[in-house]
Amino acid sequence: MKNTGYFLFFTLIFSSFQSIHGQSRSVVGLFPTLDHSGPISPKLDYSFYLFGAHPLMNVVPKFEWNNQILLFYTEQAIHYHWTPLIAFSGAYVFQKERINREVMSNENRIHFQATAKYQMNRFEIKNRIRWDHRWIGDPNSDQIFYSHRFRFLTGIKRPLKIASKTGYLSFSEEFFLNSSKNSSALFGENWMNTALGIEINEFNKIESGPLYITWKTADRSWLHQYYFQLTWVSRIK
Protein backbone atom coordinates (compact mmCIF):
# COMPACT_ATOMS: atom_id res chain seq x y z
CA MET A 1 0.00 0.00 0.00
CA LYS A 2 3.07 2.25 0.11
CA ASN A 3 2.66 2.98 -3.63
CA THR A 4 -0.83 4.37 -2.99
CA GLY A 5 0.55 6.82 -0.43
CA TYR A 6 3.27 8.00 -2.81
CA PHE A 7 0.69 8.39 -5.57
CA LEU A 8 -1.60 10.59 -3.50
CA PHE A 9 1.29 12.67 -2.17
CA PHE A 10 2.81 13.50 -5.55
CA THR A 11 -0.51 14.16 -7.28
CA LEU A 12 -1.54 16.57 -4.54
CA ILE A 13 1.81 18.37 -4.79
CA PHE A 14 1.48 18.56 -8.58
CA SER A 15 -2.09 19.87 -8.34
CA SER A 16 -1.09 22.53 -5.78
CA PHE A 17 1.81 23.69 -7.97
CA GLN A 18 -0.41 24.05 -11.02
CA SER A 19 -3.12 25.84 -9.03
CA ILE A 20 -0.62 28.42 -7.82
CA HIS A 21 0.91 29.08 -11.23
CA GLY A 22 -2.23 29.02 -13.36
CA GLN A 23 -6.01 29.15 -13.35
CA SER A 24 -6.26 25.42 -12.61
CA ARG A 25 -9.37 23.66 -11.35
CA SER A 26 -9.85 20.45 -9.40
CA VAL A 27 -12.72 18.00 -8.97
CA VAL A 28 -13.26 14.78 -6.99
CA GLY A 29 -15.60 11.98 -8.01
CA LEU A 30 -16.32 8.40 -9.06
CA PHE A 31 -15.07 6.45 -12.07
CA PRO A 32 -17.08 3.21 -12.64
CA THR A 33 -15.48 0.95 -15.27
CA LEU A 34 -16.27 -2.26 -17.16
CA ASP A 35 -13.43 -4.28 -18.71
CA HIS A 36 -14.57 -7.38 -20.62
CA SER A 37 -12.59 -9.64 -22.96
CA GLY A 38 -12.64 -13.10 -24.51
CA PRO A 39 -10.96 -15.31 -27.13
CA ILE A 40 -11.81 -15.46 -30.83
CA SER A 41 -9.06 -17.92 -31.80
CA PRO A 42 -5.74 -19.05 -30.28
CA LYS A 43 -4.11 -15.83 -31.56
CA LEU A 44 -7.02 -13.37 -31.48
CA ASP A 45 -8.95 -11.75 -28.61
CA TYR A 46 -11.75 -9.22 -28.48
CA SER A 47 -12.34 -6.67 -25.71
CA PHE A 48 -14.99 -4.19 -24.65
CA TYR A 49 -14.08 -1.31 -22.34
CA LEU A 50 -16.51 1.23 -20.89
CA PHE A 51 -16.24 3.96 -18.24
CA GLY A 52 -17.90 7.11 -16.97
CA ALA A 53 -16.09 9.99 -15.25
CA HIS A 54 -18.50 11.55 -12.75
CA PRO A 55 -17.19 14.50 -10.66
CA LEU A 56 -19.13 14.91 -7.42
CA MET A 57 -17.37 17.67 -5.53
CA ASN A 58 -15.45 20.84 -6.41
CA VAL A 59 -12.06 21.30 -4.80
CA VAL A 60 -11.99 24.89 -6.06
CA PRO A 61 -15.22 26.49 -4.65
CA LYS A 62 -15.61 29.10 -7.40
CA PHE A 63 -15.78 26.43 -10.08
CA GLU A 64 -19.44 25.50 -10.57
CA TRP A 65 -19.63 21.91 -11.80
CA ASN A 66 -23.40 21.34 -11.66
CA ASN A 67 -22.91 17.60 -11.09
CA GLN A 68 -22.35 16.79 -14.77
CA ILE A 69 -20.87 13.63 -16.25
CA LEU A 70 -17.54 14.79 -17.61
CA LEU A 71 -16.70 11.81 -19.80
CA PHE A 72 -18.47 8.76 -21.21
CA TYR A 73 -16.26 6.31 -23.12
CA THR A 74 -16.80 3.03 -25.00
CA GLU A 75 -14.11 1.02 -26.78
CA GLN A 76 -14.32 -2.13 -28.92
CA ALA A 77 -10.98 -3.72 -29.81
CA ILE A 78 -9.36 -6.71 -31.51
CA HIS A 79 -5.99 -7.99 -30.22
CA TYR A 80 -3.51 -10.16 -32.11
CA HIS A 81 -1.07 -12.03 -29.84
CA TRP A 82 2.14 -12.33 -31.83
CA THR A 83 3.75 -14.06 -28.85
CA PRO A 84 2.42 -14.68 -25.32
CA LEU A 85 4.07 -11.39 -24.25
CA ILE A 86 3.65 -9.15 -27.33
CA ALA A 87 0.32 -8.07 -28.83
CA PHE A 88 -0.92 -5.70 -31.54
CA SER A 89 -4.37 -4.14 -31.37
CA GLY A 90 -6.86 -2.01 -33.25
CA ALA A 91 -9.96 -0.36 -31.75
CA TYR A 92 -12.91 1.92 -32.37
CA VAL A 93 -13.84 4.42 -29.64
CA PHE A 94 -16.90 6.60 -29.12
CA GLN A 95 -16.64 9.31 -26.48
CA LYS A 96 -18.86 12.08 -25.12
CA GLU A 97 -17.21 14.95 -23.30
CA ARG A 98 -18.66 17.86 -21.33
CA ILE A 99 -16.56 20.40 -19.43
CA ASN A 100 -19.12 22.70 -17.83
CA ARG A 101 -20.91 23.22 -21.15
CA GLU A 102 -24.54 23.15 -22.19
CA VAL A 103 -23.73 21.15 -25.35
CA MET A 104 -21.89 17.84 -25.39
CA SER A 105 -18.88 17.22 -27.62
CA ASN A 106 -18.84 13.88 -29.46
CA GLU A 107 -15.68 12.15 -30.59
CA ASN A 108 -15.16 9.18 -32.89
CA ARG A 109 -11.73 7.62 -32.71
CA ILE A 110 -9.69 4.69 -33.96
CA HIS A 111 -6.38 3.66 -32.47
CA PHE A 112 -3.59 1.19 -33.13
CA GLN A 113 -1.31 -0.04 -30.38
CA ALA A 114 1.52 -2.41 -29.47
CA THR A 115 1.83 -3.93 -25.99
CA ALA A 116 4.79 -5.75 -24.45
CA LYS A 117 4.88 -7.55 -21.11
CA TYR A 118 7.69 -9.29 -19.27
CA GLN A 119 8.36 -10.76 -15.85
CA MET A 120 10.88 -9.42 -13.36
CA ASN A 121 10.97 -11.64 -10.27
CA ARG A 122 7.36 -11.52 -9.01
CA PHE A 123 6.51 -8.36 -10.95
CA GLU A 124 4.84 -8.11 -14.34
CA ILE A 125 6.02 -5.07 -16.32
CA LYS A 126 3.79 -3.69 -19.06
CA ASN A 127 4.63 -1.10 -21.72
CA ARG A 128 2.21 0.15 -24.37
CA ILE A 129 2.35 2.65 -27.22
CA ARG A 130 -0.88 3.82 -28.85
CA TRP A 131 -1.54 6.01 -31.89
CA ASP A 132 -4.90 7.82 -31.70
CA HIS A 133 -6.77 9.16 -34.75
CA ARG A 134 -9.54 11.49 -33.54
CA TRP A 135 -12.57 13.05 -35.21
CA ILE A 136 -13.87 15.61 -32.69
CA GLY A 137 -17.16 17.44 -33.03
CA ASP A 138 -17.13 21.10 -32.03
CA PRO A 139 -20.41 21.78 -30.16
CA ASN A 140 -20.25 25.50 -30.99
CA SER A 141 -19.86 25.24 -34.78
CA ASP A 142 -21.07 21.69 -35.56
CA GLN A 143 -17.80 21.14 -37.43
CA ILE A 144 -15.63 18.03 -37.10
CA PHE A 145 -11.89 18.41 -36.55
CA TYR A 146 -9.29 15.69 -37.13
CA SER A 147 -6.23 15.32 -34.90
CA HIS A 148 -3.83 12.61 -33.82
CA ARG A 149 -1.62 11.89 -30.83
CA PHE A 150 0.68 9.27 -29.27
CA ARG A 151 0.12 7.73 -25.85
CA PHE A 152 2.80 5.97 -23.80
CA LEU A 153 1.79 3.75 -20.89
CA THR A 154 3.99 1.93 -18.42
CA GLY A 155 2.73 -0.23 -15.58
CA ILE A 156 3.69 -2.78 -12.97
CA LYS A 157 1.67 -5.53 -11.27
CA ARG A 158 2.51 -7.77 -8.31
CA PRO A 159 0.44 -10.80 -7.25
CA LEU A 160 -0.89 -10.89 -3.69
CA LYS A 161 -2.70 -13.33 -1.43
CA ILE A 162 -5.67 -11.60 0.21
CA ALA A 163 -7.26 -13.87 2.85
CA SER A 164 -8.25 -16.94 0.81
CA LYS A 165 -8.46 -14.98 -2.47
CA THR A 166 -5.87 -14.45 -5.18
CA GLY A 167 -5.23 -10.78 -5.81
CA TYR A 168 -2.74 -8.21 -7.09
CA LEU A 169 -1.57 -4.64 -6.70
CA SER A 170 -0.97 -2.60 -9.84
CA PHE A 171 0.28 0.85 -10.77
CA SER A 172 0.32 2.55 -14.18
CA GLU A 173 0.93 5.95 -15.74
CA GLU A 174 0.11 7.13 -19.27
CA PHE A 175 1.41 10.24 -21.04
CA PHE A 176 -0.49 11.83 -23.95
CA LEU A 177 1.60 13.64 -26.58
CA ASN A 178 -0.16 15.58 -29.33
CA SER A 179 1.35 15.06 -32.79
CA SER A 180 -0.99 17.28 -34.86
CA LYS A 181 0.43 20.55 -36.16
CA ASN A 182 -2.62 22.50 -34.95
CA SER A 183 -2.29 21.26 -31.35
CA SER A 184 -1.88 23.99 -28.75
CA ALA A 185 0.55 21.95 -26.63
CA LEU A 186 2.73 18.87 -27.04
CA PHE A 187 1.89 17.44 -23.61
CA GLY A 188 -1.81 17.83 -22.91
CA GLU A 189 -2.96 14.97 -20.70
CA ASN A 190 -1.79 12.44 -18.10
CA TRP A 191 -3.45 9.47 -16.35
CA MET A 192 -2.11 7.74 -13.24
CA ASN A 193 -3.74 5.00 -11.17
CA THR A 194 -3.15 2.46 -8.42
CA ALA A 195 -5.50 -0.51 -8.09
CA LEU A 196 -6.01 -3.44 -5.76
CA GLY A 197 -7.51 -6.41 -7.60
CA ILE A 198 -9.27 -9.48 -6.17
CA GLU A 199 -10.33 -12.56 -8.14
CA ILE A 200 -13.97 -13.41 -7.46
CA ASN A 201 -13.84 -16.57 -9.60
CA GLU A 202 -12.03 -17.77 -12.70
CA PHE A 203 -14.07 -15.40 -14.91
CA ASN A 204 -14.41 -12.25 -12.79
CA LYS A 205 -12.25 -9.80 -10.84
CA ILE A 206 -12.91 -6.56 -9.00
CA GLU A 207 -10.37 -3.71 -9.00
CA SER A 208 -10.53 -0.53 -6.93
CA GLY A 209 -8.23 2.36 -6.16
CA PRO A 210 -7.40 6.04 -6.82
CA LEU A 211 -7.21 7.44 -10.34
CA TYR A 212 -5.69 10.84 -11.13
CA ILE A 213 -6.29 12.55 -14.49
CA THR A 214 -5.08 15.98 -15.55
CA TRP A 215 -5.99 17.84 -18.77
CA LYS A 216 -4.36 21.00 -20.05
CA THR A 217 -7.17 23.50 -20.64
CA ALA A 218 -5.17 26.68 -21.38
CA ASP A 219 -1.58 27.94 -21.52
CA ARG A 220 -0.90 27.54 -17.79
CA SER A 221 -4.15 25.96 -16.62
CA TRP A 222 -5.08 22.36 -15.90
CA LEU A 223 -8.21 20.47 -14.94
CA HIS A 224 -7.19 18.06 -12.16
CA GLN A 225 -9.51 15.12 -11.58
CA TYR A 226 -9.29 12.82 -8.55
CA TYR A 227 -11.48 9.73 -8.80
CA PHE A 228 -12.18 6.55 -6.92
CA GLN A 229 -12.20 3.92 -9.66
CA LEU A 230 -14.17 0.69 -9.30
CA THR A 231 -13.71 -1.81 -12.15
CA TRP A 232 -15.44 -5.08 -12.97
CA VAL A 233 -13.02 -7.20 -15.00
CA SER A 234 -14.55 -10.19 -16.75
CA ARG A 235 -13.06 -12.64 -19.22
CA ILE A 236 -14.59 -15.58 -21.06
CA LYS A 237 -12.04 -18.38 -21.43
Side-chain angles (χ1 to χ4, degrees):
M1 304 304 291
K2 186 184 295 184
N3 287 341
T4 305
Y6 288 151
F7 162 76
L8 292 173
F9 174 78
F10 284 114
T11 53
L12 285 171
I13 292 297
F14 179 73
S15 177
S16 300
F17 177 83
Q18 293 293 345
S19 298
I20 292 171
H21 291 82
Q23 300 300 315
S24 297
R25 302 173 293 188
S26 301
V27 295
V28 175
L30 298 176
F31 201 94
T33 305
L34 172 65
D35 184 354
H36 172 74
S37 61
I40 299 175
S41 71
K43 287 284 188 178
L44 285 177
D45 276 2
Y46 74 89
S47 69
F48 177 71
Y49 192 72
L50 180 150
F51 65 74
H54 189 62
L56 298 175
M57 183 176 66
N58 305 318
V59 177
V60 180
K62 293 183 180 180
F63 177 36
E64 297 181 0
W65 190 259
N66 299 328
N67 204 30
Q68 298 171 354
I69 296 177
L70 173 59
L71 203 62
F72 175 76
Y73 177 102
T74 64
E75 173 192 304
Q76 300 81 40
I78 298 293
H79 312 274
Y80 172 71
H81 296 273
W82 186 38
T83 72
L85 299 179
I86 299 176
F88 301 96
S89 308
Y92 165 73
V93 170
F94 176 73
Q95 176 177 297
K96 279 184 174 288
E97 179 182 321
R98 186 173 186 174
I99 307 178
N100 204 29
R101 296 174 180 171
E102 293 299 325
V103 182
M104 282 193 177
S105 172
N106 294 331
E107 177 179 340
N108 290 278
R109 182 190 312 168
I110 60 173
H111 68 239
F112 306 97
Q113 69 181 34
T115 305
K117 299 179 181 179
Y118 60 93
Q119 293 292 135
M120 181 182 294
N121 298 322
R122 297 192 64 193
F123 295 92
E124 178 186 270
I125 312 297
K126 175 181 176 180
N127 291 296
R128 186 183 75 193
I129 181 171
R130 176 180 292 181
W131 189 20
D132 277 340
H133 298 265
R134 312 171 68 196
W135 289 266
I136 306 169
D138 183 351
N140 298 315
S141 64
D142 291 328
Q143 294 183 339
I144 296 176
F145 299 92
Y146 168 72
S147 66
H148 46 82
R149 66 185 177 190
F150 286 97
R151 298 164 55 170
F152 301 90
L153 179 144
T154 185
I156 186 169
K157 179 188 290 186
R158 185 187 189 280
L160 298 173
K161 198 71 174 178
I162 305 171
S164 60
K165 299 287 187 179
T166 300
Y168 53 88
L169 182 66
S170 67
F171 172 84
S172 68
E173 183 165 13
E174 186 171 18
F175 301 94
F176 294 63
L177 300 178
N178 295 309
S179 48
S180 296
K181 292 182 179 179
N182 59 349
S183 298
S184 59
L186 175 62
F187 174 62
E189 193 169 335
N190 186 65
W191 293 48
M192 186 188 305
N193 85 300
T194 299
L196 180 65
I198 300 176
E199 291 187 1
I200 306 303
N201 53 45
E202 62 176 325
F203 303 108
N204 297 283
K205 305 172 187 176
I206 296 294
E207 292 183 0
S208 63
L211 168 65
Y212 169 67
I213 303 172
T214 185
W215 292 347
K216 190 167 188 178
T217 55
D219 184 32
R220 303 185 69 181
S221 301
W222 295 79
L223 175 59
H224 304 291
Q225 305 157 59
Y226 302 91
Y227 296 109
F228 174 75
Q229 184 175 22
L230 182 63
T231 305
W232 174 22
V233 182
S234 69
R235 178 170 176 81
I236 299 174
K237 297 184 179 180

